[in-house]
Amino acid sequence: MQDWPPAQSPYRRIMLLCGAAIGALAANTALAQSGPVARLPMTAAALPAAVAVASEDDGLGDNGFYLEANTVIRDDNAKIITARGDVEARYQGRTIRAQELIYNIRTGIVTARGKAQIIADDGATQSAEEITLDNSLQAGVAYGFSTVMAPNIKFAAASAVRRSETVNELNRAIYTPCDICSKTGAPKTPSWSISADRIVQDRQRQLVYYRNAVVKVLGVPVFYAPVFWHPDPQAERSSGLLPPKIQNSRRRGFSYEQPYLLVISPSQDLIISPQINSKVNPFVNLEWRKRFYSGQVEARLGYTHDQDIQTINGDLKKIGTDTSRSYVLAKGKFNINKNWDWGFGLERASDPLIFDKYNVGRVYQDNRGLYNTDSRRLLSQIFATEQSDRSYVSMSLLSFQGLRIGDNNHAIPVAAPLVEARYEPKDPVLGGRLRLRGSGVALFRDQSPLSASQPGIDSRRLTGEGDWRKITTFANGLRLEPFIDIRGDYYNIADISAADKKAKSLARSMGTVGMDVSYPLMRNFGNATVIVEPLAQIALSPSAKRDSRIPNEDSISFDFNETNLFEPNRYPGFDLYEGGQRFNLGVRTTVDWGADHSARFLIGRSYRSKKDLTMPVRTGLNQAASDWVTSATISPITGLSVFARTRLDSDTLAIRRQEAGANLALTKLRGYVRYLSDKTDITGVQVRDIQGAGEIYLSKTWGLTFAAIRDLENKVWRTRELGLLYKDECTRLEIVYQREETFNRTLGPSDNVLIRLSLATLGDAGYRDYDDR
């Protein structure tokens, strides 16, 4: 049986690195010999070393040279120095090792034979049966060559020619970043590799060129190119291809997207990513990044010229005429001085469904300014902020674009401007903390949300607020926190109706006084610590009065839960406020048994002196006794956390809203699950769904990925995803099937098969999340 790999193949040479070549990385001291050892100090001109090894000072200085071997012979007539037997030479912190080293004093040529190794100062090891270098070390030849460079980058070749300090040429060569040794030290076939007749590493251009390249996966050829190149793996950043995105979907047919990274300068790059589709016209994505001395800009753009697509009688068809379709998602932030910054966010799309049609991700998840919006809403903004130890000021201009069914962008207001300010004096006031707050906003809209024939209400608001609190803790643990909150609002409102366009001004004021009380009780039970903390708050305010002339712009939606149980004013904005006399009660329990294992529970409710019919019924706060709110968070074992938050009807204890979930991060299994049941949604539609995602490894390298959202109320799967995953130290491959059942306006359901491939050192560094776009 023929031995594999063949003795003269690059595979054989690269696998030999499992032994001596890799082991040499740790060998930085002189070799110990059982027999006599010859040591010969020489001048710098005696032997110019090839590559550096020692990062520590070896005491030789810049010109000192050290040679050690079992035997050193100097032939003055032939002007040749020969060292044999475990040779080690050091010069300027550099090391070369071999069984025999010959130096020609006349020509300056150095020849190392017999398991020759050159170890660089960065830890890179070059091994060969024979290495020959000229006197300037600018050129040289090696036979039976192999090298390991950080991070775990390996080349091997039948012969290597060093053209200069920056250019190396390898013949009959192979390249791989994968492990070539098992844990036992035995050779193994790399997950993927590139073999070629010739490989040229040009460090100056930061590129690696291949002639007749063959890409092999698990030793099987899968791709051939007569000419091929990629960025030098040792380069910090270089232009080149990024992992492609391959899909087959009902909406676009077969789709191939090939990103290309263009490094324009050390502070600027551009990703050009054309998407070729079989059913629709090509789509081009661009991602540009630029750093300045005072800040940075990031921008994503997409463009196509095509017809619209709609589902007609169950079939997806093109309709209308070709037109330009595009999107832009950009952000920037810059420093003005120590305390002041300014920035912008730009989000716009020509089509409400352009992100769905062309599978554009990271649209609503990224933060592009001071303010975020919810899903399927775009927000453009420009802002300036000042922040010091005691103050904060922000000024913004905001413009929204709705992408939901029924969104009327003429009825969505523009905020121009929105100003917020806070100031906290350094010294205590009356023994407590005083915080001053100011806010102002001007809102303009073209149309009324109720009728296109009605003008949109324009409003301007100014708010000033003072909040004082003092904390007193007694020796027995009782904690009292009295507080006072005073606020005043001024409104100017115009275009209330088509018949009444005259601006009206009105003012109001409100105040709250109260106290927070807590009394934590602690006890140890073995290794566990239990803290039970009764909580109470009394808040006294005049009864709230709703002025119908004041539009509710910022307090339309909020949930009553444990996070605002002890808030004196539970409304998130300024247009509405909570009044009356109320008494909030709760109990918080914490159990901690070490190693980040703990459990936390809270239950509470709010009581009022009388009903407050200005509070929405769905909040559970308009009655004298509110709904019950509970929350629990448990981390029973390392890698598992579970949470639940529930609101129970005040009379029947029926569940009105419940959210629960778990996060799991174990060796073989990672993922999450979420459950939501909401009978109090602002739309009036009962919501009940469950969703989850994760990955499970069936072996060390093979696994499954999964994700799904199930609408339990309508008994339909909104999305489903199942994928096959392969992952090792240098390769990640996913083949994913996706099914979206939700009928998205006119698009209908969608099936999608996606292939994600990332190869270490080939365009993945710094862009591993690009496939989520």
Side-chain angles (χ1 to χ4, degrees):
M1 180 180 294
Q2 183 179 5
D3 187 21
W4 191 93
Q8 301 302 319
S9 75
Y11 271 113
R12 168 69 71 177
R13 287 185 292 278
I14 204 167
M15 288 181 174
L16 291 177
L17 290 170
C18 293
I22 293 179
L25 289 172
N28 290 322
T29 58
L31 300 177
Q33 303 296 331
S34 58
V37 177
R39 296 179 173 88
L40 182 63
M42 304 173 71
T43 64
L47 183 63
V51 187
V53 63
S55 59
E56 299 180 359
D57 184 8
D58 55 11
L60 296 176
D62 293 337
N63 297 319
F65 173 77
Y66 179 83
L67 177 65
E68 178 177 319
N70 292 341
T71 304
V72 177
I73 302 172
R74 178 164 184 158
D75 188 337
D76 292 330
N77 294 328
K79 300 296 182 181
I80 292 177
I81 297 175
T82 302
R84 294 191 179 96
D86 298 325
V87 181
E88 178 175 315
R90 295 201 305 270
Y91 171 63
Q92 292 184 347
R94 304 169 180 178
T95 298
I96 183 169
R97 295 191 179 105
Q99 291 303 307
E100 182 181 68
L101 187 145
I102 301 173
Y103 173 56
N104 190 312
I105 299 175
R106 289 194 180 96
T107 63
I109 294 177
V110 179
T111 301
R113 296 192 182 101
K115 299 180 180 179
Q117 296 176 358
I118 303 174
I119 307 174
D121 54 359
D122 60 359
T125 300
Q126 298 178 352
S127 302
E129 289 302 316
E130 181 176 321
I131 302 175
T132 301
L133 298 170
D134 66 3
N135 57 352
S136 64
L137 301 182
Q138 298 299 307
V141 178
Y143 298 96
F145 174 82
S146 61
T147 181
V148 176
M149 300 179 293
N152 203 25
I153 299 164
K154 310 167 192 72
F155 287 95
S159 64
V161 180
R162 181 181 173 91
R163 300 296 185 185
S164 66
E165 288 185 347
T166 60
V167 177
N168 293 323
E169 180 183 303
L170 310 180
N171 298 298
R172 294 180 57 202
I174 182 175
Y175 160 75
T176 183
C178 305
D179 287 346
I180 56 173
C181 310
S182 65
K183 290 184 178 181
T184 61
K188 71 174 234 183
T189 303
S191 299
W192 69 270
S193 63
I194 305 176
S195 60
D197 291 344
R198 179 176 298 174
I199 300 178
V200 177
Q201 183 184 23
D202 192 330
R203 295 184 178 178
Q204 183 175 357
R205 293 184 174 87
Q206 296 185 335
L207 290 172
V208 178
Y209 301 91
Y210 296 81
R211 178 68 60 84
N212 293 327
V214 177
V215 178
K216 297 182 179 180
V217 177
L218 298 177
V220 178
V222 296
F223 176 78
Y224 166 80
V227 178
F228 182 74
W229 69 91
H230 62 76
D232 190 332
Q234 290 186 302
E236 291 186 6
R237 201 169 54 125
S238 182
S239 300
L241 299 175
L242 299 177
K245 190 174 184 180
I246 304 171
Q247 300 180 71
N248 187 62
S249 67
R250 180 175 177 270
R251 293 170 184 166
R252 288 174 290 127
F254 179 78
S255 175
Y256 181 86
E257 185 173 346
Q258 180 57 70
Y260 180 84
L261 172 64
L262 175 63
V263 178
I264 302 172
S265 70
S267 61
Q268 183 178 195
D269 59 35
L270 173 68
I271 297 178
I272 306 169
S273 186
Q275 182 187 99
I276 309 301
N277 308 293
S278 63
K279 288 186 178 181
V280 297
N281 288 352
F283 191 86
V284 177
N285 291 289
L286 303 175
E287 185 168 352
W288 176 67
R289 305 186 302 176
K290 169 72 174 177
R291 286 187 178 273
F292 302 87
Y293 73 96
S294 61
Q296 63 181 16
V297 173
E298 297 181 20
R300 293 171 54 198
L301 303 95
Y303 177 82
T304 188
H305 192 268
D306 200 359
Q307 298 173 270
D308 196 8
I309 54 175
Q310 289 187 7
T311 298
I312 301 176
N313 297 326
D315 295 326
L316 201 65
K317 297 181 179 180
K318 285 188 174 185
I319 62 172
T321 59
D322 287 356
T323 185
S324 293
R325 306 178 187 278
S326 61
Y327 73 86
V328 57
L329 304 170
K331 64 179 178 180
K333 189 174 182 181
F334 302 89
N335 303 117
I336 300 175
N337 56 34
K338 179 181 178 182
N339 295 329
W340 280 92
D341 297 323
W342 80 273
F344 70 90
L346 178 59
E347 300 179 349
R348 278 297 182 266
S350 63
D351 296 32
L353 298 175
I354 191 170
F355 303 117
D356 304 272
K357 294 174 184 175
Y358 297 97
N359 197 28
V360 180
R362 292 192 293 114
V363 176
Y364 313 105
Q365 299 90 334
D366 287 0
N367 183 359
R368 299 185 182 91
L370 288 184
Y371 301 95
N372 292 331
T373 185
D374 51 8
S375 180
R376 307 205 68 81
R377 295 274 172 82
L378 301 181
L379 171 60
S380 296
Q381 56 189 300
I382 183 170
F383 59 88
T385 61
E386 182 273 342
Q387 185 166 0
S388 64
D389 294 339
R390 316 303 304 179
S391 66
Y392 173 81
V393 178
S394 70
M395 297 174 287
S396 308
L397 303 176
L398 309 177
S399 174
F400 299 86
Q401 181 184 8
L403 305 181
R404 298 176 179 176
I405 298 175
D407 275 345
N408 180 2
N409 288 309
H410 295 288
I412 299 177
V414 174
L418 171 61
V419 180
E420 294 184 307
R422 293 190 298 272
Y423 174 72
E424 186 174 321
K426 180 178 180 181
D427 298 324
V429 176
L430 300 177
R433 184 267 298 155
L434 175 65
R435 179 175 296 161
L436 303 176
R437 183 180 181 187
S439 174
V441 65
L443 300 176
F444 305 91
R445 52 165 52 91
D446 296 332
Q447 294 179 3
S448 168
L450 303 177
S451 173
S453 62
Q454 295 291 326
I457 296 178
D458 298 334
S459 64
R460 290 153 287 276
R461 174 186 55 79
L462 290 176
T463 297
E465 184 176 10
D467 172 28
W468 176 87
R469 285 177 176 266
K470 181 180 178 180
I471 300 175
T472 302
T473 304
F474 296 92
N476 62 355
L478 178 66
R479 173 171 167 157
L480 303 179
E481 187 174 347
F483 61 86
I484 302 174
D485 186 273
I486 301 174
R487 194 182 102 193
D489 299 328
Y490 170 81
Y491 281 87
N492 182 268
I493 304 169
D495 291 335
I496 296 178
S497 66
D500 186 6
K501 295 187 177 183
K502 186 177 179 180
K504 293 179 172 59
S505 298
L506 54 99
R508 67 183 183 185
S509 61
M510 62 219 72
T512 304
V513 298
M515 180 178 291
D516 291 329
V517 182
S518 64
Y519 188 46
L521 305 171
M522 184 177 69
R523 184 169 181 178
N524 293 325
F525 295 90
N527 294 328
T529 300
V530 179
I531 301 175
V532 178
E533 185 178 9
L535 305 168
Q537 181 190 75
I538 184 171
L540 308 176
S541 308
S543 297
K545 297 179 180 180
R546 178 74 186 272
D547 192 326
S548 60
R549 295 173 296 176
I550 298 177
N552 181 15
E553 303 280 7
D554 58 13
S555 300
I556 296 175
S557 176
F558 79 96
D559 292 322
F560 174 44
N561 53 46
E562 81 285 357
T563 63
N564 53 29
L565 172 62
F566 295 99
E567 288 291 334
N569 179 19
R570 296 182 178 90
Y571 284 109
F574 294 91
D575 293 333
L576 299 181
Y577 67 93
E578 186 176 4
Q581 296 78 50
R582 50 230 184 255
F583 188 52
N584 306 316
L585 288 175
V587 177
R588 180 167 53 209
T589 302
T590 303
V591 182
D592 192 326
W593 57 93
D596 294 328
H597 301 156
S598 62
R600 292 173 175 82
F601 307 92
L602 184 143
I603 184 171
R605 73 187 309 191
S606 179
Y607 297 89
R608 313 184 69 86
S609 59
K610 61 180 181 179
K611 297 180 180 180
D612 185 355
L613 300 181
T614 65
M615 302 287 285
V617 176
R618 63 178 184 80
T619 64
L621 287 168
N622 64 330
Q623 300 297 313
S626 74
D627 289 348
W628 290 92
V629 293
T630 68
S631 70
T633 303
I634 306 174
S635 300
I637 60 174
T638 301
L640 174 64
S641 63
V642 181
F643 73 91
R645 56 201 313 183
T646 307
R647 180 149 65 90
L648 306 173
D649 186 89
S650 59
D651 297 324
T652 65
L653 297 182
I655 295 176
R656 302 190 66 186
R657 191 179 193 280
Q658 184 176 49
E659 183 180 359
N663 299 298
L664 189 63
L666 304 178
T667 304
K668 296 289 186 179
L669 177 62
R670 295 176 179 269
Y672 72 88
V673 63
R674 300 285 186 270
Y675 170 78
L676 174 63
S677 175
D678 190 356
K679 300 179 181 179
T680 63
D681 189 79
I682 190 172
T683 62
V685 178
Q686 183 170 339
V687 177
R688 194 162 60 95
D689 60 34
I690 186 171
Q691 60 179 289
E695 57 185 39
I696 179 171
Y697 281 89
L698 307 177
S699 66
K700 182 180 178 181
T701 55
W702 288 96
L704 297 174
T705 64
F706 54 89
I709 301 177
R710 173 74 172 178
D711 186 339
L712 301 175
E713 195 65 27
N714 297 308
K715 298 180 180 179
V716 62
W717 291 97
R718 294 186 199 164
T719 61
R720 284 173 288 179
E721 178 179 310
L722 181 63
L724 180 65
L725 168 67
Y726 175 85
K727 181 181 179 181
D728 61 20
E729 76 286 348
C730 63
T731 307
R732 182 182 176 96
L733 172 64
E734 291 179 78
I735 303 175
V736 182
Y737 169 76
Q738 299 170 332
R739 170 74 178 181
E740 180 183 318
E741 294 285 355
T742 304
F743 282 76
N744 194 344
R745 293 196 184 186
T746 57
L747 286 184
S750 174
D751 291 285
N752 188 25
V753 177
L754 173 66
I755 299 176
R756 299 182 181 128
L757 175 64
S758 295
L759 302 177
T761 74
L762 290 187
D764 67 327
Y767 293 93
R768 294 181 186 271
D769 296 331
Y770 184 75
D771 280 334
D772 295 334
R773 186 189 49 69

